[in-house]
Amino acid sequence: MILHYPYYTIEIVHAQLKFRFPFSIAHGTRTHTDAVLCKLDFAGHTGVGEATLPPYLPDTVEGVMAFLSSKELHHLLAQSISKDFSPERIFDGIDKLMPGHMPAKAALDMALWQLKAKIENKTLTELLGVTSQNVVPHTYTIGISTRDEMREKIQFAETNGFSFFKLKMNGEDDENVLNDFLALSTEPFAVDANQGWNDLQHAITFSTQLEESGCVLIEQPFEKTDRQKSATLMQSLHIPVIADEACQRIADIDSIRGAFCGINIKLQKCGGLTEAMRMITHAKGLGLKTLIGCMSESSIGCGAAEALAPICDWADLDGPWLIENNEEIIQFENLRI
Ligand code: MG
């Protein structure tokens, strides 16, 4: 779909991000993720964004396309886009006008930031004011796998320069996942239970074993509204317990204090770079750790998030390596409107 407005054009397409290996987590298994790509063209420059829609989110392809082509959105954009537009002001305006729709907002917001960077002839990092040159550890995610599948995934990741892994767990085969990993790799790893744990005593015992085995952090062990079990687990361990599902947006940060040591920030959860920047600043101010994560986006979405990686403690931006058609997806950026 291509829509022409007096000063700009927007192109919106549905794409499928195909997993290299079927991806299994506590929520289930999937072979692909639906995505919506959008491209904004203004004054001879182009900005590209991506919304990814894993099936556990309420957002749909149709919903994202309807949002990105809506009259309300374009009424606001038409009034806002100029040579010195502010992506933050546009984000705040749209967020107030149309609640929810976080993946669609993320696609639009990253496209706006990229467009502004091109207009000002800066890199995205420069435009965002990220001056740190820190190279933070980047994880490669291993979904729940057999030992042979895990071996194949580790080899693929190591061939592509990864030396830090995120092991997905579901509360059922966790001992096997750990044993398989330790038989195959001596590299550090993180664990993401995706809310799959329930028994607190078992979680403490197993997490202590994880800690002794080289685990660096544990992400979202219990159900997202739980604070008590998470707080007790956190107090029992030396390694950080990080909130993912429990922390979507900046307003959630205060509620997870005392139960988690840090947060996983994702553009798709918080609506893009504008709020992700604010979340990082707020979290750091409270002494919380920050992990910049993804929902298996292509290089379009993960590349935007990468601009914030130097100011976080860890990055989980492995989408381009988890999907097999990344090269095809990024061609979208080069298409002419
Ligand atoms: Mg997670």
Side-chain angles (χ1 to χ4, degrees):
M1 179 196 305
I2 304 179
L3 300 169
H4 297 276
Y5 294 91
Y7 303 109
Y8 67 94
T9 302
I10 186 167
E11 182 174 0
I12 310 159
V13 301
H14 172 208
Q16 281 197 334
L17 312 177
K18 294 175 184 137
F19 279 113
R20 190 173 293 278
F21 307 102
F23 190 66
S24 294
I25 62 172
H27 297 296
T29 300
R30 65 186 203 266
T31 54
H32 68 273
T33 309
D34 281 308
V36 176
L37 309 177
C38 77
K39 179 159 52 175
L40 272 173
D41 197 65
F42 168 73
H45 298 284
T46 299
V48 181
E50 176 178 20
T52 47
L53 305 157
Y56 52 82
L57 294 185
D59 304 83
T60 60
V61 169
E62 296 71 28
V64 173
M65 296 188 88
F67 176 95
L68 291 173
S69 56
S70 68
K71 276 197 187 119
E72 297 93 322
L73 170 67
H74 289 287
H75 180 69
L76 194 145
L77 270 186
Q79 290 179 327
S80 310
I81 287 208
S82 61
K83 283 258 178 185
D84 59 351
F85 73 92
S86 157
E88 286 153 304
R89 207 172 308 137
I90 294 175
F91 176 83
D92 288 337
I94 289 162
D95 200 35
K96 204 169 165 192
L97 192 67
M98 302 162 84
H101 300 285
M102 305 321 287
K105 285 174 186 166
L108 179 73
D109 183 77
M110 67 179 87
L112 286 168
W113 277 102
Q114 193 187 79
L115 180 61
K116 188 169 176 68
K118 288 189 181 164
I119 291 170
E120 295 192 7
N121 196 23
K122 289 179 178 170
T123 65
L124 195 49
T125 311
E126 286 167 348
L127 182 64
L128 291 165
V130 174
T131 52
S132 166
Q133 307 257 327
N134 263 357
V135 179
V136 301
H138 281 57
T139 52
Y140 182 84
T141 306
I142 298 183
I144 294 157
S145 318
T146 64
R147 186 177 286 202
D148 284 344
E149 288 165 351
M150 190 186 279
R151 181 182 292 112
E152 200 184 343
K153 291 173 187 178
I154 291 173
Q155 279 171 358
F156 175 81
E158 289 183 340
T159 305
N160 286 281
F162 287 90
S163 55
F164 181 25
F165 294 89
K166 180 189 270 193
L167 306 180
K168 292 288 192 179
M169 293 196 178
N170 60 6
E172 291 168 20
D173 309 312
D174 300 354
E175 302 261 352
N176 289 337
V177 172
L178 175 64
N179 291 336
D180 286 346
F181 181 75
L182 295 177
L184 295 168
S185 175
T186 54
E187 301 290 2
F189 62 97
V191 162
D192 186 357
N194 288 108
Q195 313 178 72
W197 294 357
N198 189 30
D199 182 327
L200 176 61
Q201 269 318 310
H202 182 264
I204 293 172
T205 309
F206 183 60
S207 298
T208 305
Q209 190 187 343
L210 286 174
E211 196 174 274
E212 288 163 359
S213 306
C215 182
V216 172
L217 66 91
I218 296 174
E219 192 174 306
Q220 198 65 53
F222 305 107
E223 202 272 326
K224 64 184 176 189
T225 58
D226 167 83
R227 296 290 180 273
Q228 196 53 53
K229 285 184 196 166
S230 186
T232 309
L233 179 65
M234 182 181 94
Q235 286 154 15
S236 312
L237 299 175
H238 299 102
I239 54 173
V241 178
I242 302 292
D244 182 1
E245 287 88 337
C247 183
Q248 303 283 320
R249 301 197 60 179
I250 194 163
D252 301 321
I253 294 178
D254 289 343
S255 83
I256 62 92
R257 289 178 74 192
F260 296 90
C261 309
I263 55 171
N264 182 337
I265 298 156
K266 295 177 182 171
L267 304 189
Q268 300 295 322
K269 290 195 297 187
C270 72
L273 290 162
T274 297
E275 184 153 319
M277 283 281 284
R278 294 172 182 168
M279 289 179 79
I280 293 168
T281 305
H282 187 54
K284 282 175 176 247
L286 296 173
L288 293 167
K289 299 273 189 192
T290 51
L291 187 162
I292 182 92
C294 68
M295 290 197 182
S296 304
E297 292 98 307
S298 74
S299 292
I300 296 173
C302 286
E306 192 66 55
L308 301 179
I311 51 171
C312 293
D313 295 290
W314 306 278
D316 178 24
L317 299 173
D318 53 1
W321 291 272
L322 295 179
I323 62 178
E324 63 176 13
N325 58 336
N326 189 59
E327 290 305 311
E328 181 196 320
I329 297 292
I330 59 176
Q331 290 307 310
F332 178 69
E333 198 162 351
N334 303 321
L335 292 178
R336 289 195 53 190
I337 291 177

